[in-house]
């Protein structure tokens, strides 16, 4: 989770039987325990989105953490005897050094060693190299990507607990980050600068920028990959939903599409000062290969016929689309192709962009007029849909038929489960005040549902 300048990594405990641990003791492990807390020290940074992807390089000899300082977070009484969490700081080293002695946080700060403040590169001859986040047979933990108001993607190695690299390019707030389900190194980012960027995290390369003549004309709020990883959807404050191709599925001409060609070239790039692990120890290090970022101005589908206000969340359900606006409903619809009379024209191409849709059904939810509230339908089967509202409720719908024989084909589908986030939690603390459930997410197995409220509380339910 992320919020403000902080990001927190939690460990989800396995279900226990009768309130006891597997060894038979009466001590109960908390179902959701914070294990790492990161704090960005850059002025004005507020994280809006986070995502896991790629793979860390582990802990190679000769490297130490970048700008790491630890301080106690909370106290033993608040944690009920559990392990005390640590806050790990990262960001500009000079800024961090100044703030060591001017922290407004009441927690105690441990002394930071000089070795922790700077990168300690592996050197050979006169070369200073930095390992790429890749090696043969890489099996490290995934990297954590964070982004927000500064428009910079910050990549954290959770194994070494350090800032690994930053990806710069966006000219305004970053609103969403999504890794490809088909390639863990490919990252999409959307921004208020009306652009979407495709990154090759393995090489630190901005592969393509999706914006321009037929792109969005307002802040882009959400992006979503197709399960195949060949295309993605985007939506924003221009009331539009657009579909873009990454891999061309039309091989009749025997040529790859422009984005696919750029992707292939990006895996052959070695940024300046970086090196493959296999090259460490050699006298010669491969020099920079210039990479020209591709500009893609034309989606293969674009429509404003689903919503009459800005669209803040979108997701593929197979080849269908789920999208949400601020009108208290989520709409399931199908993009239609081949109707040239109902298409958008462009002065740069004779090809018209399809815009027709087929409405399938809608999922209504009261008190959901706030923007930037996210739903989720867990892949690959997309059997259910979850969404929160301003009253702290989480509704769950069947997208298709249910176990009772309901075909699920009614155009106005009703929710079958209502979860509330008011009550008691955390050692007797009360949470009776209503707060907007901003985002929901299922774990990869679909067995747990997590909701995050505006009051910084995290709620989890067993969904099995």
């Amino acid at each position: 989770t992320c919020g403000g300048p902080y990001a927190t990594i939690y460990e989800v405990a396995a279900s226990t039987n009768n309130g006891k641990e597997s060894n038979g003791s009466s001590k109960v492990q908390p179902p959701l325990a914070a294990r790492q807390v990161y704090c960005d020290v850059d002025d004005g940074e507020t994280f809006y989105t986070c995502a896991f992807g790629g793979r860390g390089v582990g802990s190679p000899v000769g490297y130490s953490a970048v700008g790491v300082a630890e301080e106690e977070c909370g106290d033993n009484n608040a944690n009920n005897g559990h392990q005390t969490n640590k806050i790990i700081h990262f960001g500009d080293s000079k800024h961090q050094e100044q703030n060591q002695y001017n922290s407004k946080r009441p927690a105690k700060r441990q002394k930071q060693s000089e070795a922790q403040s700077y990168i300690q590169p592996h050197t050979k001859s006169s070369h200073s190299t930095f390992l790429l986040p890749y090696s043969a047979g890489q099996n490290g933990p995934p990297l954590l990507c964070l982004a927000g108001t500064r428009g910079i993607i910050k990549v954290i190695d959770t194994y070494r607990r350090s800032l690994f690299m930053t990806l710069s390019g966006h000219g305004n707030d970053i609103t969403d980050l999504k890794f490809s389900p088909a390639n863990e190194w490919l990252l999409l980012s959307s921004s208020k600068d009306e652009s979407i960027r495709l990154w090759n995290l393995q090489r630190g390369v901005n592969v393509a920028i999706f914006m321009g003549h037929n792109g969005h004309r307002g802040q882009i709020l959400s992006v979503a990959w197709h399960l195949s990883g060949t295309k993605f959807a985007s939506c924003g404050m221009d009331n539009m939903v657009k579909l873009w191709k990454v891999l061309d599925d039309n091989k009749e001409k025997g040529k790859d599409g422009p984005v696919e060609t750029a992707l292939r070239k990006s895996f052959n790039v070695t940024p300046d000062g970086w090196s493959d692990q296999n090259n460490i120890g050699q006298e010669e290090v491969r020099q920079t290969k210039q990479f020209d970022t591709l500009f893609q101005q034309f989606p293969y589908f674009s429509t404003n016929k689903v919503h009459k206000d800005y669209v803040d969340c979108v997701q593929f359900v197979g080849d269908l689309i789920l999208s949400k606006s601020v009108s208290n409903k989520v709409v399931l619809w199908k993009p239609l192709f081949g109707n040239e009379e109902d298409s958008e024209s462009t002065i740069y191409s004779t090809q018209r962009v399809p815009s027709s849709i087929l409405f399938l059904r809608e999922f209504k939810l009261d008190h959901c007029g706030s923007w930037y509230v996210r739903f989720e339908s867990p892949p690959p089967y997309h059997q259910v849909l979850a969404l929160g509202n301003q009253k702290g409720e989480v509704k769950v719908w069947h997208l298709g038929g249910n176990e009772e024989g309901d075909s699920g084909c009614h155009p106005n589908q009703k929710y079958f489960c209502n979860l509330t986030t008011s009550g008691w939690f955390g050692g007797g603390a009360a949470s009776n005040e209503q707060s907007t459930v901003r985002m929901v997410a299922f774990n990869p197995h679909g067995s747990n549902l997590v909701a995050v409220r505006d009051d910084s509380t995290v709620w989890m339910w067993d969904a099995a």
Side-chain angles (χ1 to χ4, degrees):
T1 63
C2 61
Y6 295 94
T8 306
I9 298 178
Y10 298 86
E11 178 185 0
V12 179
S15 299
T16 57
N17 296 323
N18 298 324
K20 296 183 178 181
E21 292 187 335
S22 57
N23 59 10
S25 65
S26 59
K27 182 180 178 181
V28 179
Q29 183 178 359
L32 199 63
R35 292 308 182 203
Q36 293 184 11
V37 182
Y38 294 89
C39 176
D40 192 288
V41 299
D42 289 340
D43 281 334
E45 180 67 280
T46 298
F47 292 126
Y48 292 149
T49 179
C50 56
F52 281 113
R55 291 289 170 179
V57 296
S59 183
V61 177
Y63 284 78
S64 63
V66 181
V68 175
E70 295 184 348
E71 67 179 35
E72 295 183 1
C73 176
D75 54 71
N76 290 333
N77 293 332
N79 291 321
N80 295 325
H82 297 297
Q83 180 180 359
T84 302
N85 304 316
K86 299 292 184 181
I87 298 181
I88 303 162
H89 296 261
F90 62 90
D92 181 75
S93 58
K94 293 182 180 180
H95 186 168
Q96 181 177 333
E97 185 176 355
Q98 295 172 358
N99 279 272
Q100 277 186 320
Y101 309 101
N102 297 288
S103 176
K104 296 180 180 179
R105 290 180 291 272
K108 297 179 180 179
R109 185 184 298 275
Q110 296 181 357
K111 184 177 180 181
Q112 180 185 13
S113 64
E114 294 181 359
Q116 288 179 313
S117 300
Y118 306 98
I119 301 174
Q120 302 292 328
H122 177 97
T123 58
K124 181 68 176 180
S125 300
S126 60
H127 295 295
S128 177
T129 61
F130 192 73
L131 292 178
L132 283 166
Y134 171 80
S135 64
Q138 182 66 48
N139 58 359
L143 299 168
L144 171 63
C145 293
L146 300 165
T149 54
R150 293 180 64 88
I152 299 173
I153 301 173
K154 298 181 179 181
V155 185
I156 298 174
D157 186 331
T158 59
Y159 184 86
R160 296 183 296 173
R161 302 191 302 171
S162 62
L163 179 65
F164 184 75
M165 66 176 172
T166 58
L167 303 175
S168 302
H170 282 294
N172 209 323
D173 300 12
I174 294 176
T175 57
D176 205 2
L177 295 174
K178 293 291 175 59
F179 276 94
S180 168
N183 189 327
E184 63 183 1
W185 296 107
L186 300 184
L187 173 67
L188 282 174
S189 60
S190 63
S191 173
K192 290 183 178 181
D193 64 5
E194 303 181 4
S195 75
I196 304 159
R197 291 178 180 251
L198 175 63
W199 306 86
N200 181 342
L201 200 63
Q202 185 185 104
R203 298 290 170 174
V205 171
N206 185 189
V207 179
I209 301 175
F210 300 85
M211 68 177 302
H213 171 67
N214 211 31
H216 284 279
R217 290 292 183 267
Q219 301 178 17
I220 304 174
L221 301 178
S222 178
V223 289
W225 286 93
H226 188 275
L227 193 58
S228 65
T230 61
K231 51 193 174 184
F232 68 90
S234 63
C235 63
M237 298 189 74
D238 56 357
N239 307 350
M240 303 291 295
V241 177
K242 297 180 182 288
L243 308 183
W244 308 80
K245 286 185 179 180
V246 174
L247 304 181
D248 197 347
D249 53 3
N250 185 3
K251 299 293 184 180
E252 294 180 357
K253 297 181 179 180
K255 296 182 179 180
D256 294 336
V259 181
E260 187 174 359
T261 301
L263 269 176
R264 187 176 63 254
K265 292 180 178 179
S266 72
F267 282 95
N268 297 322
V269 173
T270 302
D272 188 19
W274 289 42
S275 174
D276 288 317
Q277 286 189 356
N278 294 333
N279 289 339
I280 296 297
Q282 300 179 4
E283 294 186 1
E284 295 296 328
V285 179
R286 275 198 296 174
Q287 299 300 313
T288 303
K289 293 183 179 179
Q290 183 177 0
F291 183 83
D292 295 326
T293 299
L294 172 73
F295 280 83
Q296 177 60 273
Q297 301 187 62
F298 305 107
Y300 72 92
F301 181 88
S302 177
T303 187
N304 60 357
K305 299 176 180 178
V306 185
H307 303 284
K308 301 303 180 183
D309 210 330
Y310 46 78
V311 190
D312 60 358
C313 191
V314 66
Q315 184 180 346
F316 273 101
V317 177
D319 290 329
L320 306 178
I321 303 291
L322 273 173
S323 60
K324 170 191 164 293
S325 183
V326 292
S327 54
N328 295 316
K329 64 182 178 181
V330 179
V331 180
L332 179 66
W333 52 278
K334 178 181 179 180
L336 300 179
F337 302 93
N339 186 3
E340 295 186 359
E341 295 181 357
D342 194 14
S343 302
E344 296 182 0
S345 60
T346 169
I347 62 174
Y348 296 105
S349 173
T350 57
Q351 183 179 4
R352 301 176 68 89
V353 180
S355 61
S356 298
I357 69 163
L358 174 63
F359 169 83
L360 296 177
R361 74 191 63 148
E362 62 183 25
F363 306 88
K364 292 185 177 181
L365 175 61
D366 294 332
H367 310 290
C368 194
S370 296
W371 76 294
Y372 208 65
V373 173
R374 304 292 178 86
F375 63 79
E376 180 167 341
S377 178
Y381 302 112
H382 301 285
Q383 294 179 338
V384 296
L385 165 69
L387 174 64
N389 65 9
Q390 295 165 251
K391 296 187 67 176
E393 300 171 329
V394 177
K395 310 287 187 180
V396 186
W397 295 264
H398 285 295
L399 280 184
N402 56 33
E403 297 178 355
E404 298 178 356
D406 182 9
S407 64
C409 295
H410 194 280
N412 296 320
Q413 193 81 345
K414 296 189 66 175
Y415 61 86
F416 72 91
C417 182
N418 180 24
L419 304 173
T420 179
T421 60
S422 61
W424 298 88
F425 70 95
S431 176
N432 294 316
E433 295 183 359
Q434 295 179 358
S435 181
T436 300
V437 175
R438 188 64 58 179
M439 296 186 184
V440 296
F442 289 88
N443 68 343
H445 304 289
S447 58
N448 292 108
L449 172 63
V450 173
V452 180
R453 304 201 322 178
D454 276 352
D455 61 0
S456 302
T457 59
V458 182
W459 299 74
M460 187 179 73
W461 297 269
D462 289 331

